PDB file of all heavy atoms in Angstrom:
ATOM      1  N   LYS C  17      34.133 201.744 279.924  1.00 89.00           N
ATOM      2  CA  LYS C  17      34.409 202.804 280.890  1.00 89.00           C
ATOM      3  C   LYS C  17      33.121 203.114 281.635  1.00 89.00           C
ATOM      4  O   LYS C  17      32.018 202.840 281.133  1.00 89.00           O
ATOM      5  CB  LYS C  17      34.934 204.055 280.163  1.00 89.00           C
ATOM      6  CG  LYS C  17      35.626 205.057 281.059  1.00 89.00           C
ATOM      7  CD  LYS C  17      36.297 206.148 280.237  1.00 89.00           C
ATOM      8  CE  LYS C  17      37.081 207.090 281.138  1.00 89.00           C
ATOM      9  NZ  LYS C  17      37.788 208.128 280.342  1.00 89.00           N
ATOM     10  N   ASP C  18      33.233 203.680 282.837  1.00 86.00           N
ATOM     11  CA  ASP C  18      32.042 203.961 283.637  1.00 86.00           C
ATOM     12  C   ASP C  18      31.070 204.871 282.894  1.00 86.00           C
ATOM     13  O   ASP C  18      29.854 204.688 282.965  1.00 86.00           O
ATOM     14  CB  ASP C  18      32.438 204.611 284.964  1.00 86.00           C
ATOM     15  CG  ASP C  18      33.169 203.642 285.888  1.00 86.00           C
ATOM     16  OD1 ASP C  18      33.047 202.418 285.664  1.00 86.00           O
ATOM     17  OD2 ASP C  18      33.866 204.113 286.810  1.00 86.00           O
ATOM     18  N   GLN C  19      31.603 205.871 282.178  1.00 83.00           N
ATOM     19  CA  GLN C  19      30.735 206.834 281.497  1.00 83.00           C
ATOM     20  C   GLN C  19      30.029 206.238 280.283  1.00 83.00           C
ATOM     21  O   GLN C  19      28.889 206.603 279.977  1.00 83.00           O
ATOM     22  CB  GLN C  19      31.541 208.060 281.055  1.00 83.00           C
ATOM     23  CG  GLN C  19      32.056 208.903 282.200  1.00 83.00           C
ATOM     24  CD  GLN C  19      33.405 208.399 282.701  1.00 83.00           C
ATOM     25  OE1 GLN C  19      33.777 207.259 282.472  1.00 83.00           O
ATOM     26  NE2 GLN C  19      34.122 209.269 283.397  1.00 83.00           N
ATOM     27  N   ALA C  20      30.711 205.322 279.579  1.00 82.00           N
ATOM     28  CA  ALA C  20      30.125 204.742 278.368  1.00 82.00           C
ATOM     29  C   ALA C  20      30.974 203.581 277.880  1.00 82.00           C
ATOM     30  O   ALA C  20      32.179 203.519 278.145  1.00 82.00           O
ATOM     31  CB  ALA C  20      30.005 205.806 277.270  1.00 82.00           C
ATOM     32  N   ASN C  21      30.335 202.675 277.170  1.00 89.00           N
ATOM     33  CA  ASN C  21      31.031 201.607 276.461  1.00 89.00           C
ATOM     34  C   ASN C  21      30.984 201.898 274.965  1.00 89.00           C
ATOM     35  O   ASN C  21      30.002 202.452 274.461  1.00 89.00           O
ATOM     36  CB  ASN C  21      30.374 200.255 276.737  1.00 89.00           C
ATOM     37  CG  ASN C  21      30.428 199.880 278.206  1.00 89.00           C
ATOM     38  OD1 ASN C  21      31.338 200.273 278.937  1.00 89.00           O
ATOM     39  ND2 ASN C  21      29.435 199.124 278.653  1.00 89.00           N
ATOM     40  N   VAL C  22      32.036 201.514 274.263  1.00 89.00           N
ATOM     41  CA  VAL C  22      32.126 201.771 272.826  1.00 89.00           C
ATOM     42  C   VAL C  22      32.483 200.465 272.111  1.00 89.00           C
ATOM     43  O   VAL C  22      33.453 199.797 272.484  1.00 89.00           O
ATOM     44  CB  VAL C  22      33.178 202.847 272.509  1.00 89.00           C
ATOM     45  CG1 VAL C  22      33.256 203.084 271.000  1.00 89.00           C
ATOM     46  CG2 VAL C  22      32.861 204.151 273.231  1.00 89.00           C
ATOM     47  N   TYR C  23      31.700 200.126 271.095  1.00 93.00           N
ATOM     48  CA  TYR C  23      31.957 198.935 270.292  1.00 93.00           C
ATOM     49  C   TYR C  23      32.092 199.341 268.821  1.00 93.00           C
ATOM     50  O   TYR C  23      31.413 200.266 268.362  1.00 93.00           O
ATOM     51  CB  TYR C  23      30.805 197.930 270.428  1.00 93.00           C
ATOM     52  CG  TYR C  23      30.540 197.477 271.838  1.00 93.00           C
ATOM     53  CD1 TYR C  23      29.651 198.178 272.658  1.00 93.00           C
ATOM     54  CD2 TYR C  23      31.164 196.350 272.354  1.00 93.00           C
ATOM     55  CE1 TYR C  23      29.400 197.764 273.956  1.00 93.00           C
ATOM     56  CE2 TYR C  23      30.918 195.930 273.657  1.00 93.00           C
ATOM     57  CZ  TYR C  23      30.035 196.643 274.448  1.00 93.00           C
ATOM     58  OH  TYR C  23      29.790 196.236 275.743  1.00 93.00           O
ATOM     59  N   THR C  24      32.956 198.645 268.099  1.00 94.00           N
ATOM     60  CA  THR C  24      33.108 198.894 266.670  1.00 94.00           C
ATOM     61  C   THR C  24      32.882 197.604 265.895  1.00 94.00           C
ATOM     62  O   THR C  24      33.283 196.520 266.332  1.00 94.00           O
ATOM     63  CB  THR C  24      34.505 199.451 266.337  1.00 94.00           C
ATOM     64  OG1 THR C  24      35.505 198.474 266.661  1.00 94.00           O
ATOM     65  CG2 THR C  24      34.784 200.728 267.128  1.00 94.00           C
ATOM     66  N   PHE C  25      32.220 197.735 264.744  1.00 96.00           N
ATOM     67  CA  PHE C  25      31.963 196.616 263.841  1.00 96.00           C
ATOM     68  C   PHE C  25      32.326 197.094 262.438  1.00 96.00           C
ATOM     69  O   PHE C  25      31.603 197.917 261.854  1.00 96.00           O
ATOM     70  CB  PHE C  25      30.499 196.189 263.902  1.00 96.00           C
ATOM     71  CG  PHE C  25      29.988 195.928 265.297  1.00 96.00           C
ATOM     72  CD1 PHE C  25      29.449 196.968 266.053  1.00 96.00           C
ATOM     73  CD2 PHE C  25      30.059 194.663 265.857  1.00 96.00           C
ATOM     74  CE1 PHE C  25      28.976 196.741 267.338  1.00 96.00           C
ATOM     75  CE2 PHE C  25      29.591 194.429 267.142  1.00 96.00           C
ATOM     76  CZ  PHE C  25      29.056 195.469 267.890  1.00 96.00           C
ATOM     77  N   MET C  26      33.436 196.608 261.895  1.00 97.00           N
ATOM     78  CA  MET C  26      33.966 197.134 260.641  1.00 97.00           C
ATOM     79  C   MET C  26      34.330 196.003 259.679  1.00 97.00           C
ATOM     80  O   MET C  26      34.635 194.874 260.101  1.00 97.00           O
ATOM     81  CB  MET C  26      35.219 197.980 260.906  1.00 97.00           C
ATOM     82  CG  MET C  26      35.023 199.134 261.862  1.00 97.00           C
ATOM     83  SD  MET C  26      34.242 200.535 261.050  1.00 97.00           S
ATOM     84  CE  MET C  26      34.191 201.714 262.415  1.00 97.00           C
ATOM     85  N   ALA C  27      34.341 196.320 258.391  1.00 97.00           N
ATOM     86  CA  ALA C  27      34.784 195.372 257.370  1.00 97.00           C
ATOM     87  C   ALA C  27      35.376 196.143 256.201  1.00 97.00           C
ATOM     88  O   ALA C  27      34.954 197.275 255.909  1.00 97.00           O
ATOM     89  CB  ALA C  27      33.634 194.496 256.894  1.00 97.00           C
ATOM     90  N   GLY C  28      36.357 195.528 255.526  1.00 97.00           N
ATOM     91  CA  GLY C  28      36.967 196.185 254.388  1.00 97.00           C
ATOM     92  C   GLY C  28      38.254 195.507 253.970  1.00 97.00           C
ATOM     93  O   GLY C  28      38.658 194.488 254.549  1.00 97.00           O
ATOM     94  N   PRO C  29      38.925 196.057 252.966  1.00 97.00           N
ATOM     95  CA  PRO C  29      40.132 195.420 252.431  1.00 97.00           C
ATOM     96  C   PRO C  29      41.353 195.640 253.321  1.00 97.00           C
ATOM     97  O   PRO C  29      41.488 196.672 253.983  1.00 97.00           O
ATOM     98  CB  PRO C  29      40.322 196.113 251.076  1.00 97.00           C
ATOM     99  CG  PRO C  29      39.702 197.461 251.281  1.00 97.00           C
ATOM    100  CD  PRO C  29      38.531 197.249 252.189  1.00 97.00           C
ATOM    101  N   GLN C  30      42.232 194.658 253.306  1.00 97.00           N
ATOM    102  CA  GLN C  30      43.530 194.759 253.970  1.00 97.00           C
ATOM    103  C   GLN C  30      44.621 194.396 252.960  1.00 97.00           C
ATOM    104  O   GLN C  30      44.502 193.416 252.236  1.00 97.00           O
ATOM    105  CB  GLN C  30      43.612 193.803 255.157  1.00 97.00           C
ATOM    106  CG  GLN C  30      44.949 193.879 255.910  1.00 97.00           C
ATOM    107  CD  GLN C  30      45.091 192.801 256.962  1.00 97.00           C
ATOM    108  OE1 GLN C  30      45.663 191.742 256.719  1.00 97.00           O
ATOM    109  NE2 GLN C  30      44.547 193.065 258.161  1.00 97.00           N
ATOM    110  N   VAL C  31      45.653 195.210 252.918  1.00 97.00           N
ATOM    111  CA  VAL C  31      46.811 194.959 252.059  1.00 97.00           C
ATOM    112  C   VAL C  31      47.994 194.621 252.955  1.00 97.00           C
ATOM    113  O   VAL C  31      48.340 195.409 253.849  1.00 97.00           O
ATOM    114  CB  VAL C  31      47.133 196.177 251.180  1.00 97.00           C
ATOM    115  CG1 VAL C  31      48.389 195.920 250.349  1.00 97.00           C
ATOM    116  CG2 VAL C  31      45.957 196.502 250.270  1.00 97.00           C
ATOM    117  N   LYS C  32      48.599 193.447 252.738  1.00 97.00           N
ATOM    118  CA  LYS C  32      49.725 193.007 253.571  1.00 97.00           C
ATOM    119  C   LYS C  32      50.958 192.796 252.703  1.00 97.00           C
ATOM    120  O   LYS C  32      50.887 192.209 251.626  1.00 97.00           O
ATOM    121  CB  LYS C  32      49.366 191.721 254.319  1.00 97.00           C
ATOM    122  CG  LYS C  32      50.492 191.185 255.197  1.00 97.00           C
ATOM    123  CD  LYS C  32      50.013 190.077 256.130  1.00 97.00           C
ATOM    124  CE  LYS C  32      49.223 190.625 257.305  1.00 97.00           C
ATOM    125  NZ  LYS C  32      48.937 189.579 258.329  1.00 97.00           N
ATOM    126  N   PHE C  33      52.081 193.293 253.187  1.00 96.00           N
ATOM    127  CA  PHE C  33      53.345 193.195 252.469  1.00 96.00           C
ATOM    128  C   PHE C  33      54.174 192.075 253.107  1.00 96.00           C
ATOM    129  O   PHE C  33      54.885 192.295 254.088  1.00 96.00           O
ATOM    130  CB  PHE C  33      54.089 194.532 252.528  1.00 96.00           C
ATOM    131  CG  PHE C  33      53.250 195.690 252.051  1.00 96.00           C
ATOM    132  CD1 PHE C  33      52.518 196.457 252.954  1.00 96.00           C
ATOM    133  CD2 PHE C  33      53.165 195.983 250.701  1.00 96.00           C
ATOM    134  CE1 PHE C  33      51.739 197.518 252.518  1.00 96.00           C
ATOM    135  CE2 PHE C  33      52.381 197.040 250.253  1.00 96.00           C
ATOM    136  CZ  PHE C  33      51.666 197.801 251.163  1.00 96.00           C
ATOM    137  N   ARG C  34      54.075 190.889 252.539  1.00 92.00           N
ATOM    138  CA  ARG C  34      54.719 189.701 253.102  1.00 92.00           C
ATOM    139  C   ARG C  34      56.171 189.655 252.619  1.00 92.00           C
ATOM    140  O   ARG C  34      56.495 189.020 251.612  1.00 92.00           O
ATOM    141  CB  ARG C  34      53.950 188.448 252.696  1.00 92.00           C
ATOM    142  CG  ARG C  34      52.497 188.501 253.170  1.00 92.00           C
ATOM    143  CD  ARG C  34      51.735 187.244 252.769  1.00 92.00           C
ATOM    144  NE  ARG C  34      50.317 187.404 253.044  1.00 92.00           N
ATOM    145  CZ  ARG C  34      49.740 187.185 254.217  1.00 92.00           C
ATOM    146  NH1 ARG C  34      50.448 186.764 255.231  1.00 92.00           N
ATOM    147  NH2 ARG C  34      48.429 187.361 254.377  1.00 92.00           N
ATOM    148  N   THR C  35      57.023 190.335 253.354  1.00 87.00           N
ATOM    149  CA  THR C  35      58.426 190.485 252.952  1.00 87.00           C
ATOM    150  C   THR C  35      59.345 189.448 253.571  1.00 87.00           C
ATOM    151  O   THR C  35      60.543 189.479 253.349  1.00 87.00           O
ATOM    152  CB  THR C  35      58.925 191.886 253.337  1.00 87.00           C
ATOM    153  OG1 THR C  35      58.782 192.062 254.763  1.00 87.00           O
ATOM    154  CG2 THR C  35      58.112 192.967 252.636  1.00 87.00           C
ATOM    155  N   GLY C  36      58.806 188.533 254.350  1.00 84.00           N
ATOM    156  CA  GLY C  36      59.626 187.552 255.041  1.00 84.00           C
ATOM    157  C   GLY C  36      59.072 187.322 256.429  1.00 84.00           C
ATOM    158  O   GLY C  36      57.882 187.092 256.612  1.00 84.00           O
ATOM    159  N   ARG C  37      59.920 187.431 257.435  1.00 90.00           N
ATOM    160  CA  ARG C  37      59.472 187.210 258.813  1.00 90.00           C
ATOM    161  C   ARG C  37      58.559 188.329 259.297  1.00 90.00           C
ATOM    162  O   ARG C  37      57.654 188.100 260.099  1.00 90.00           O
ATOM    163  CB  ARG C  37      60.703 187.098 259.729  1.00 90.00           C
ATOM    164  CG  ARG C  37      60.364 186.673 261.147  1.00 90.00           C
ATOM    165  CD  ARG C  37      61.612 186.692 262.020  1.00 90.00           C
ATOM    166  NE  ARG C  37      62.592 185.735 261.543  1.00 90.00           N
ATOM    167  CZ  ARG C  37      62.665 184.486 261.959  1.00 90.00           C
ATOM    168  NH1 ARG C  37      61.793 184.033 262.844  1.00 90.00           N
ATOM    169  NH2 ARG C  37      63.592 183.681 261.516  1.00 90.00           N
ATOM    170  N   ILE C  38      58.760 189.558 258.830  1.00 93.00           N
ATOM    171  CA  ILE C  38      57.961 190.715 259.248  1.00 93.00           C
ATOM    172  C   ILE C  38      57.033 191.115 258.115  1.00 93.00           C
ATOM    173  O   ILE C  38      57.467 191.298 256.979  1.00 93.00           O
ATOM    174  CB  ILE C  38      58.860 191.887 259.659  1.00 93.00           C
ATOM    175  CG1 ILE C  38      59.744 191.483 260.844  1.00 93.00           C
ATOM    176  CG2 ILE C  38      58.022 193.110 260.022  1.00 93.00           C
ATOM    177  CD1 ILE C  38      60.718 192.552 261.273  1.00 93.00           C
ATOM    178  N   SER C  39      55.736 191.256 258.417  1.00 95.00           N
ATOM    179  CA  SER C  39      54.733 191.575 257.395  1.00 95.00           C
ATOM    180  C   SER C  39      53.925 192.800 257.823  1.00 95.00           C
ATOM    181  O   SER C  39      52.964 192.682 258.592  1.00 95.00           O
ATOM    182  CB  SER C  39      53.797 190.383 257.179  1.00 95.00           C
ATOM    183  OG  SER C  39      54.503 189.245 256.732  1.00 95.00           O
ATOM    184  N   PRO C  40      54.279 193.985 257.326  1.00 97.00           N
ATOM    185  CA  PRO C  40      53.449 195.174 257.595  1.00 97.00           C
ATOM    186  C   PRO C  40      52.132 195.072 256.821  1.00 97.00           C
ATOM    187  O   PRO C  40      52.042 194.406 255.785  1.00 97.00           O
ATOM    188  CB  PRO C  40      54.308 196.336 257.071  1.00 97.00           C
ATOM    189  CG  PRO C  40      55.674 195.759 256.843  1.00 97.00           C
ATOM    190  CD  PRO C  40      55.476 194.310 256.552  1.00 97.00           C
ATOM    191  N   PHE C  41      51.101 195.761 257.315  1.00 98.00           N
ATOM    192  CA  PHE C  41      49.827 195.765 256.604  1.00 98.00           C
ATOM    193  C   PHE C  41      49.114 197.094 256.784  1.00 98.00           C
ATOM    194  O   PHE C  41      49.346 197.838 257.754  1.00 98.00           O
ATOM    195  CB  PHE C  41      48.924 194.615 257.066  1.00 98.00           C
ATOM    196  CG  PHE C  41      48.465 194.722 258.495  1.00 98.00           C
ATOM    197  CD1 PHE C  41      47.298 195.397 258.834  1.00 98.00           C
ATOM    198  CD2 PHE C  41      49.202 194.136 259.515  1.00 98.00           C
ATOM    199  CE1 PHE C  41      46.878 195.485 260.157  1.00 98.00           C
ATOM    200  CE2 PHE C  41      48.792 194.212 260.833  1.00 98.00           C
ATOM    201  CZ  PHE C  41      47.629 194.897 261.157  1.00 98.00           C
ATOM    202  N   LEU C  42      48.256 197.406 255.824  1.00 98.00           N
ATOM    203  CA  LEU C  42      47.402 198.592 255.850  1.00 98.00           C
ATOM    204  C   LEU C  42      45.967 198.149 255.610  1.00 98.00           C
ATOM    205  O   LEU C  42      45.716 197.157 254.923  1.00 98.00           O
ATOM    206  CB  LEU C  42      47.818 199.596 254.769  1.00 98.00           C
ATOM    207  CG  LEU C  42      49.244 200.160 254.853  1.00 98.00           C
ATOM    208  CD1 LEU C  42      49.550 200.973 253.604  1.00 98.00           C
ATOM    209  CD2 LEU C  42      49.415 201.002 256.102  1.00 98.00           C
ATOM    210  N   GLU C  43      45.002 198.904 256.168  1.00 97.00           N
ATOM    211  CA  GLU C  43      43.608 198.556 255.980  1.00 97.00           C
ATOM    212  C   GLU C  43      42.739 199.799 256.002  1.00 97.00           C
ATOM    213  O   GLU C  43      43.093 200.806 256.616  1.00 97.00           O
ATOM    214  CB  GLU C  43      43.140 197.570 257.058  1.00 97.00           C
ATOM    215  CG  GLU C  43      43.264 198.086 258.477  1.00 97.00           C
ATOM    216  CD  GLU C  43      42.908 197.029 259.519  1.00 97.00           C
ATOM    217  OE1 GLU C  43      42.877 195.833 259.164  1.00 97.00           O
ATOM    218  OE2 GLU C  43      42.660 197.398 260.679  1.00 97.00           O
ATOM    219  N   ALA C  44      41.604 199.715 255.309  1.00 97.00           N
ATOM    220  CA  ALA C  44      40.601 200.781 255.306  1.00 97.00           C
ATOM    221  C   ALA C  44      39.242 200.110 255.421  1.00 97.00           C
ATOM    222  O   ALA C  44      38.833 199.351 254.528  1.00 97.00           O
ATOM    223  CB  ALA C  44      40.695 201.614 254.031  1.00 97.00           C
ATOM    224  N   LEU C  45      38.538 200.361 256.537  1.00 97.00           N
ATOM    225  CA  LEU C  45      37.311 199.637 256.860  1.00 97.00           C
ATOM    226  C   LEU C  45      36.147 200.599 257.078  1.00 97.00           C
ATOM    227  O   LEU C  45      36.339 201.771 257.424  1.00 97.00           O
ATOM    228  CB  LEU C  45      37.512 198.786 258.121  1.00 97.00           C
ATOM    229  CG  LEU C  45      38.782 197.926 258.205  1.00 97.00           C
ATOM    230  CD1 LEU C  45      38.819 197.194 259.535  1.00 97.00           C
ATOM    231  CD2 LEU C  45      38.864 196.950 257.052  1.00 97.00           C
ATOM    232  N   GLY C  46      34.961 200.089 256.884  1.00 96.00           N
ATOM    233  CA  GLY C  46      33.758 200.850 257.167  1.00 96.00           C
ATOM    234  C   GLY C  46      32.743 199.984 257.881  1.00 96.00           C
ATOM    235  O   GLY C  46      32.775 198.755 257.771  1.00 96.00           O
ATOM    236  N   GLY C  47      31.834 200.624 258.623  1.00 95.00           N
ATOM    237  CA  GLY C  47      30.841 199.841 259.346  1.00 95.00           C
ATOM    238  C   GLY C  47      30.049 200.689 260.326  1.00 95.00           C
ATOM    239  O   GLY C  47      29.590 201.778 259.991  1.00 95.00           O
ATOM    240  N   GLU C  48      29.932 200.182 261.550  1.00 92.00           N
ATOM    241  CA  GLU C  48      29.135 200.836 262.582  1.00 92.00           C
ATOM    242  C   GLU C  48      29.927 201.000 263.875  1.00 92.00           C
ATOM    243  O   GLU C  48      30.774 200.167 264.202  1.00 92.00           O
ATOM    244  CB  GLU C  48      27.878 200.007 262.883  1.00 92.00           C
ATOM    245  CG  GLU C  48      26.890 199.906 261.729  1.00 92.00           C
ATOM    246  CD  GLU C  48      26.032 201.144 261.587  1.00 92.00           C
ATOM    247  OE1 GLU C  48      25.940 201.916 262.576  1.00 92.00           O
ATOM    248  OE2 GLU C  48      25.445 201.332 260.504  1.00 92.00           O
ATOM    249  N   VAL C  49      29.629 202.080 264.586  1.00 89.00           N
ATOM    250  CA  VAL C  49      30.148 202.309 265.932  1.00 89.00           C
ATOM    251  C   VAL C  49      28.958 202.383 266.881  1.00 89.00           C
ATOM    252  O   VAL C  49      27.993 203.115 266.632  1.00 89.00           O
ATOM    253  CB  VAL C  49      30.973 203.609 266.014  1.00 89.00           C
ATOM    254  CG1 VAL C  49      31.442 203.859 267.444  1.00 89.00           C
ATOM    255  CG2 VAL C  49      32.168 203.543 265.072  1.00 89.00           C
ATOM    256  N   TYR C  50      29.016 201.603 267.950  1.00 88.00           N
ATOM    257  CA  TYR C  50      27.931 201.551 268.925  1.00 88.00           C
ATOM    258  C   TYR C  50      28.409 202.196 270.214  1.00 88.00           C
ATOM    259  O   TYR C  50      29.320 201.695 270.870  1.00 88.00           O
ATOM    260  CB  TYR C  50      27.538 200.094 269.167  1.00 88.00           C
ATOM    261  CG  TYR C  50      26.427 199.894 270.175  1.00 88.00           C
ATOM    262  CD1 TYR C  50      25.156 200.417 269.951  1.00 88.00           C
ATOM    263  CD2 TYR C  50      26.654 199.165 271.341  1.00 88.00           C
ATOM    264  CE1 TYR C  50      24.136 200.198 270.857  1.00 88.00           C
ATOM    265  CE2 TYR C  50      25.642 198.953 272.255  1.00 88.00           C
ATOM    266  CZ  TYR C  50      24.378 199.471 272.011  1.00 88.00           C
ATOM    267  OH  TYR C  50      23.378 199.271 272.920  1.00 88.00           O
ATOM    268  N   VAL C  51      27.825 203.328 270.569  1.00 82.00           N
ATOM    269  CA  VAL C  51      28.189 204.063 271.774  1.00 82.00           C
ATOM    270  C   VAL C  51      27.065 203.902 272.788  1.00 82.00           C
ATOM    271  O   VAL C  51      25.907 204.224 272.501  1.00 82.00           O
ATOM    272  CB  VAL C  51      28.426 205.556 271.473  1.00 82.00           C
ATOM    273  CG1 VAL C  51      28.894 206.288 272.727  1.00 82.00           C
ATOM    274  CG2 VAL C  51      29.443 205.715 270.344  1.00 82.00           C
ATOM    275  N   ALA C  52      27.414 203.379 273.965  1.00 81.00           N
ATOM    276  CA  ALA C  52      26.401 203.083 274.980  1.00 81.00           C
ATOM    277  C   ALA C  52      26.698 203.865 276.256  1.00 81.00           C
ATOM    278  O   ALA C  52      27.406 203.380 277.152  1.00 81.00           O
ATOM    279  CB  ALA C  52      26.369 201.587 275.276  1.00 81.00           C
ATOM    280  N   PRO C  53      26.202 205.100 276.386  1.00 76.00           N
ATOM    281  CA  PRO C  53      26.392 205.877 277.616  1.00 76.00           C
ATOM    282  C   PRO C  53      25.661 205.250 278.791  1.00 76.00           C
ATOM    283  O   PRO C  53      24.751 204.436 278.617  1.00 76.00           O
ATOM    284  CB  PRO C  53      25.799 207.253 277.263  1.00 76.00           C
ATOM    285  CG  PRO C  53      25.716 207.273 275.772  1.00 76.00           C
ATOM    286  CD  PRO C  53      25.481 205.851 275.362  1.00 76.00           C
ATOM    287  N   ALA C  54      26.048 205.658 279.980  1.00 66.00           N
ATOM    288  CA  ALA C  54      25.496 205.046 281.185  1.00 66.00           C
ATOM    289  C   ALA C  54      24.057 205.477 281.463  1.00 66.00           C
ATOM    290  O   ALA C  54      23.285 204.717 282.046  1.00 66.00           O
ATOM    291  CB  ALA C  54      26.378 205.378 282.388  1.00 66.00           C
ATOM    292  N   HIS C  55      23.665 206.705 281.050  1.00 67.00           N
ATOM    293  CA  HIS C  55      22.392 207.239 281.524  1.00 67.00           C
ATOM    294  C   HIS C  55      21.418 207.620 280.413  1.00 67.00           C
ATOM    295  O   HIS C  55      20.317 208.103 280.725  1.00 67.00           O
ATOM    296  CB  HIS C  55      22.647 208.479 282.392  1.00 67.00           C
ATOM    297  CG  HIS C  55      23.589 208.227 283.522  1.00 67.00           C
ATOM    298  ND1 HIS C  55      23.307 207.355 284.552  1.00 67.00           N
ATOM    299  CD2 HIS C  55      24.839 208.712 283.776  1.00 67.00           C
ATOM    300  CE1 HIS C  55      24.322 207.325 285.400  1.00 67.00           C
ATOM    301  NE2 HIS C  55      25.266 208.136 284.945  1.00 67.00           N
ATOM    302  N   ILE C  56      21.761 207.425 279.146  1.00 67.00           N
ATOM    303  CA  ILE C  56      20.831 207.739 278.069  1.00 67.00           C
ATOM    304  C   ILE C  56      20.840 206.586 277.069  1.00 67.00           C
ATOM    305  O   ILE C  56      21.596 205.629 277.216  1.00 67.00           O
ATOM    306  CB  ILE C  56      21.183 209.061 277.361  1.00 67.00           C
ATOM    307  CG1 ILE C  56      22.537 208.933 276.652  1.00 67.00           C
ATOM    308  CG2 ILE C  56      21.210 210.214 278.334  1.00 67.00           C
ATOM    309  CD1 ILE C  56      22.854 210.151 275.789  1.00 67.00           C
ATOM    310  N   ASP C  57      19.972 206.708 276.053  1.00 68.00           N
ATOM    311  CA  ASP C  57      19.859 205.637 275.079  1.00 68.00           C
ATOM    312  C   ASP C  57      21.158 205.441 274.305  1.00 68.00           C
ATOM    313  O   ASP C  57      21.896 206.393 274.025  1.00 68.00           O
ATOM    314  CB  ASP C  57      18.731 205.942 274.088  1.00 68.00           C
ATOM    315  CG  ASP C  57      17.361 205.905 274.750  1.00 68.00           C
ATOM    316  OD1 ASP C  57      17.245 205.271 275.816  1.00 68.00           O
ATOM    317  OD2 ASP C  57      16.421 206.525 274.211  1.00 68.00           O
ATOM    318  N   SER C  58      21.402 204.192 273.943  1.00 72.00           N
ATOM    319  CA  SER C  58      22.575 203.873 273.144  1.00 72.00           C
ATOM    320  C   SER C  58      22.392 204.380 271.717  1.00 72.00           C
ATOM    321  O   SER C  58      21.276 204.681 271.274  1.00 72.00           O
ATOM    322  CB  SER C  58      22.810 202.363 273.126  1.00 72.00           C
ATOM    323  OG  SER C  58      22.955 201.879 274.442  1.00 72.00           O
ATOM    324  N   GLN C  59      23.503 204.461 270.989  1.00 75.00           N
ATOM    325  CA  GLN C  59      23.461 205.047 269.663  1.00 75.00           C
ATOM    326  C   GLN C  59      24.337 204.263 268.692  1.00 75.00           C
ATOM    327  O   GLN C  59      25.525 204.057 268.925  1.00 75.00           O
ATOM    328  CB  GLN C  59      23.928 206.514 269.730  1.00 75.00           C
ATOM    329  CG  GLN C  59      23.834 207.255 268.415  1.00 75.00           C
ATOM    330  CD  GLN C  59      24.272 208.707 268.556  1.00 75.00           C
ATOM    331  OE1 GLN C  59      25.041 209.043 269.447  1.00 75.00           O
ATOM    332  NE2 GLN C  59      23.771 209.559 267.681  1.00 75.00           N
ATOM    333  N   PHE C  60      23.715 203.804 267.589  1.00 81.00           N
ATOM    334  CA  PHE C  60      24.453 203.220 266.473  1.00 81.00           C
ATOM    335  C   PHE C  60      24.707 204.321 265.455  1.00 81.00           C
ATOM    336  O   PHE C  60      23.772 205.025 265.054  1.00 81.00           O
ATOM    337  CB  PHE C  60      23.646 202.104 265.803  1.00 81.00           C
ATOM    338  CG  PHE C  60      23.946 200.730 266.323  1.00 81.00           C
ATOM    339  CD1 PHE C  60      23.034 200.065 267.117  1.00 81.00           C
ATOM    340  CD2 PHE C  60      25.143 200.106 266.017  1.00 81.00           C
ATOM    341  CE1 PHE C  60      23.296 198.789 267.593  1.00 81.00           C
ATOM    342  CE2 PHE C  60      25.414 198.820 266.489  1.00 81.00           C
ATOM    343  CZ  PHE C  60      24.499 198.172 267.277  1.00 81.00           C
TER     344      PHE C  60
END
């Protein structure tokens, strides 16, 4: 976006319910978010 760019870097477990043709999944991840505003220093 013009005001800022946002990036995410995450890792963690995923649980998938393979019931046939349709497979729902849940996940919980942790990591870093990188916010890069247009006019000030970026922030991890």
Side-chain angles (χ1 to χ4, degrees):
K17 197 171 184 178
D18 291 341
Q19 293 87 340
N21 298 331
V22 180
Y23 302 89
T24 64
F25 308 88
M26 303 281 181
Q30 181 188 95
V31 177
K32 179 169 284 189
F33 306 94
R34 301 180 189 276
T35 59
R37 188 185 297 269
I38 299 177
S39 299
F41 66 89
L42 299 172
E43 60 185 17
L45 313 178
E48 295 281 341
V49 177
Y50 179 62
V51 184
H55 305 296
I56 65 173
D57 293 339
S58 303
Q59 184 178 25
F60 266 108

